[in-house]
Amino acid sequence: MEESAKDKLPRATAKRLPLYLRNLNILEAEGVIRIKSREFAEITKIPSATIRRDFSYLGELGRSGYGYDVPYLIEVFTALLEANEKKSIAIVGFGNLGRAIAKNNFRRNDNLAISCVFDNNPALVGKEITGFYVYDIRDLKRMVQEKNVSVVITTVPSENSQIVVDEIVASGVTAILNFSSDRVDIPKNVNMRYIDLTTELLTLVFFDHHYKNRPLVVTT
Amino acid sequence: MEESAKDKLPRATAKRLPLYLRNLNILEAEGVIRIKSREFAEITKIPSATIRRDFSYLGELGRSGYGYDVPYLIEVFTALLEANEKKSIAIVGFGNLGRAIAKNNFRRNDNLAISCVFDNNPALVGKEITGFYVYDIRDLKRMVQEKNVSVVITTVPSENSQIVVDEIVASGVTAILNFSSDRVDIPKNVNMRYIDLTTELLTLVFFDHHYKNRPLVVTT
DNA sequence: AATTGTGAACCTCTTCACAGCT
DNA sequence: AGCTGTGAAGAGGTTCACAATT
């Protein structure tokens, strides 16, 4: 108990935290101040037993016969996810996808902000494009420190993925969201998530054809 | 054995199939015709024991003391993923994200093609935008049948997510890739995957701060 | 000599079902 | 009376380690 509870949070639970917090914020905006695990299950599509188990890792957050206090849950989850602290994000690769991500601006999460964008294309570098000044990729390390970047999103083509990831790692950033499909080598202290549209589509079609009535679990 | 092996493929294995196929195609393009599980593990970053276990679900694909035949593996995996059959894809919501996805055109997978796009914005409907004629969302059902659509990608804002997904389901499509963050109700025969950038970023930051040296597993 | 395919152990996560609390 | 928190069982996936095979 004196060891921080979050140190033993199962990963599966951790991945659901953003989903929980988002739905709690919606509930609070609607004026709901109290929620039971069964009700929350209907909203989130997560089974109520899983919700109670997940919440229990963070302490005894609820009250028997009553449910959970929404503002209190929000307080706990917000602190845990640092959702009230500004996070500076960089994008490397400012083509169509990079620009679409930059413009997306993370509705309902004004703590996440794109602070700088990079490309290696001389036609883009030094110009202002859709509101973003495009830096040369060689400025990455300097800007990461200057803007205190927490996460880098890379959208560069697979061919350059490894070399760009190496530069990101060298800049000191340890959290990378990678839209290229090729697996790359990273030091073990670096966290990377891949989002690959082609893989998603192939997986989806495969499950659709082979797992009818046993749907694919949809967790992000 | 007379029951199709793929009927009992673990889901975790199924999700790795696109990764395997992609890397096998790269190997073949490089002229590699034979691969050992240990070598393939280095390329894919999947442990060799997991690779052998995965492959074993599809039959005895390899040879002891030899390894696996790359062209044969490609044949098996391609057939399983139907990666040689054209798949028709529709996009609903043709804003920045929808357009970026449409232009992305799935390098190395010319069997996946965007066949039609939809929006409800009168400023877009009926116009040709970046090479795509924008249909009214009310034409969805008709076009799904006409173009034999296998998968629908939706990028509409959360507020409209449920109503649009209902229309997609009504059109008969059972595979949906959803870029909106809110969980929606779907019949149990429909497969849906969510991709939500905000969730990905929050998850990544959380893991980065709490699971140092025990990196997040990165599977798509 | 070297690698596959797999039984068995292990680990992680989910779900059941109910004691205990309010 | 009703809901939480959790022990225990179950389900699913990974990894070990080696017999079988070429």
Side-chain angles (χ1 to χ4, degrees):
Chain A
M1 271 305 135
E2 45 98 34
E3 243 291 38
S4 163
K6 63 201 182 219
D7 287 338
K8 36 176 132 81
L9 258 197
R11 280 148 196 256
T13 298
K15 287 188 190 171
R16 285 187 288 265
L17 295 178
L19 171 69
Y20 291 147
L21 180 54
R22 180 156 36 81
N23 283 287
L24 289 167
N25 280 326
I26 293 170
L27 283 170
E28 188 179 51
E30 291 168 349
V32 178
I33 59 165
R34 169 182 163 178
I35 190 94
K36 290 175 268 202
S37 62
R38 296 271 288 281
E39 297 165 346
F40 201 49
E42 275 181 41
I43 295 168
T44 57
K45 325 291 182 203
I46 305 290
S48 63
T50 302
I51 289 173
R52 291 198 302 281
R53 175 76 64 191
D54 283 347
F55 287 9
S56 77
Y57 292 116
L58 303 173
E60 310 214 341
L61 302 185
R63 285 198 277 148
S64 297
Y66 173 91
Y68 299 88
D69 184 70
V70 172
Y72 178 59
L73 286 181
I74 289 175
E75 194 183 306
V76 171
F77 283 65
T78 299
L80 197 55
L81 288 170
E82 303 168 59
N84 47 0
E85 299 169 24
K86 293 266 184 241
K87 298 292 172 191
S88 167
I89 298 166
I91 297 178
V92 179
F94 207 53
N96 292 317
L97 184 56
R99 286 173 221 176
I101 292 168
K103 285 193 213 158
N104 165 81
N105 77 7
F106 318 116
R107 284 177 301 281
R108 291 205 292 254
N109 270 274
D110 35 320
N111 64 311
L112 300 174
I114 308 294
S115 61
C116 46
V117 308
F118 301 83
D119 209 297
N120 68 346
N121 181 346
L124 303 180
V125 170
K127 299 216 171 61
E128 177 133 345
I129 294 180
T130 66
F132 292 88
Y133 178 87
V134 181
Y135 290 92
D136 192 296
I137 201 163
R138 283 168 290 194
D139 297 326
L140 184 67
K141 185 164 189 171
R142 180 172 63 79
M143 292 302 294
V144 158
Q145 325 228 304
E146 200 167 296
K147 298 283 191 180
N148 192 29
V149 168
S150 309
V151 188
V152 175
I153 300 173
T154 166
T155 70
V156 306
S158 293
E159 309 87 87
N160 302 324
S161 187
Q162 180 71 63
I163 195 165
V164 162
V165 167
D166 288 347
E167 290 188 55
I168 295 167
V169 170
S171 79
V173 168
T174 54
I176 303 172
L177 193 57
N178 192 344
F179 282 83
S180 317
S181 47
D182 285 356
R183 298 294 163 121
V184 296
D185 286 310
I186 45 171
K188 65 184 178 324
N189 66 316
V190 173
N191 279 283
M192 184 150 69
R193 281 178 76 80
Y194 291 90
I195 299 181
D196 176 31
L197 199 53
T198 302
T199 298
E200 295 290 344
L201 289 169
L202 288 174
T203 302
L204 191 51
V205 170
F206 182 81
F207 273 81
D208 197 46
H209 286 190
H210 296 290
Y211 293 76
K212 278 289 175 204
N213 292 314
R214 291 182 295 155
L216 175 57
V217 175
V218 291
T219 312
T220 294
Chain B
M1 269 307 133
E2 44 98 34
E3 242 292 39
S4 163
K6 63 200 182 220
D7 287 337
K8 37 175 130 85
L9 258 197
R11 280 147 197 257
T13 298
K15 287 189 191 172
R16 285 188 287 267
L17 295 179
L19 171 70
Y20 291 148
L21 180 55
R22 177 154 39 79
N23 283 287
L24 289 167
N25 280 326
I26 293 170
L27 284 170
E28 188 178 51
E30 290 168 349
V32 178
I33 58 164
R34 169 182 162 178
I35 190 92
K36 292 175 268 202
S37 61
R38 296 272 288 279
E39 297 166 345
F40 201 48
E42 276 181 42
I43 295 167
T44 57
K45 327 292 182 202
I46 305 290
S48 63
T50 302
I51 290 173
R52 291 198 302 281
R53 175 75 63 190
D54 283 347
F55 287 10
S56 76
Y57 291 116
L58 303 174
E60 310 215 341
L61 302 183
R63 285 199 276 148
S64 297
Y66 174 92
Y68 300 87
D69 184 69
V70 172
Y72 178 59
L73 286 180
I74 289 176
E75 193 183 306
V76 171
F77 284 64
T78 298
L80 198 55
L81 288 170
E82 303 168 58
N84 46 1
E85 299 170 25
K86 293 267 184 241
K87 299 292 172 191
S88 167
I89 297 166
I91 297 178
V92 180
F94 208 53
N96 292 317
L97 184 56
R99 286 173 221 176
I101 293 168
K103 285 193 211 156
N104 165 80
N105 76 6
F106 318 116
R107 282 177 301 280
R108 290 204 292 254
N109 269 274
D110 35 321
N111 64 311
L112 300 175
I114 308 294
S115 62
C116 46
V117 307
F118 301 84
D119 209 297
N120 67 347
N121 182 348
L124 303 180
V125 170
K127 299 218 170 60
E128 176 132 346
I129 294 178
T130 66
F132 291 88
Y133 178 87
V134 182
Y135 289 92
D136 192 296
I137 201 163
R138 283 169 289 195
D139 297 326
L140 184 67
K141 186 164 188 172
R142 180 171 63 80
M143 293 301 295
V144 158
Q145 324 227 305
E146 200 167 298
K147 298 283 192 179
N148 191 29
V149 169
S150 309
V151 188
V152 175
I153 300 173
T154 166
T155 70
V156 305
S158 293
E159 309 87 84
N160 303 324
S161 187
Q162 180 72 62
I163 195 166
V164 163
V165 167
D166 288 346
E167 290 188 53
I168 295 167
V169 170
S171 80
V173 168
T174 54
I176 303 173
L177 194 57
N178 192 343
F179 282 83
S180 317
S181 45
D182 286 356
R183 298 294 162 124
V184 296
D185 287 310
I186 45 170
K188 64 184 180 322
N189 66 315
V190 173
N191 279 284
M192 184 150 71
R193 280 178 78 80
Y194 290 90
I195 298 182
D196 175 31
L197 198 53
T198 302
T199 297
E200 295 290 345
L201 288 170
L202 289 175
T203 303
L204 191 50
V205 170
F206 182 81
F207 274 81
D208 197 45
H209 286 191
H210 296 290
Y211 294 75
K212 279 288 176 204
N213 293 313
R214 290 181 297 154
L216 175 56
V217 175
V218 291
T219 312
T220 294

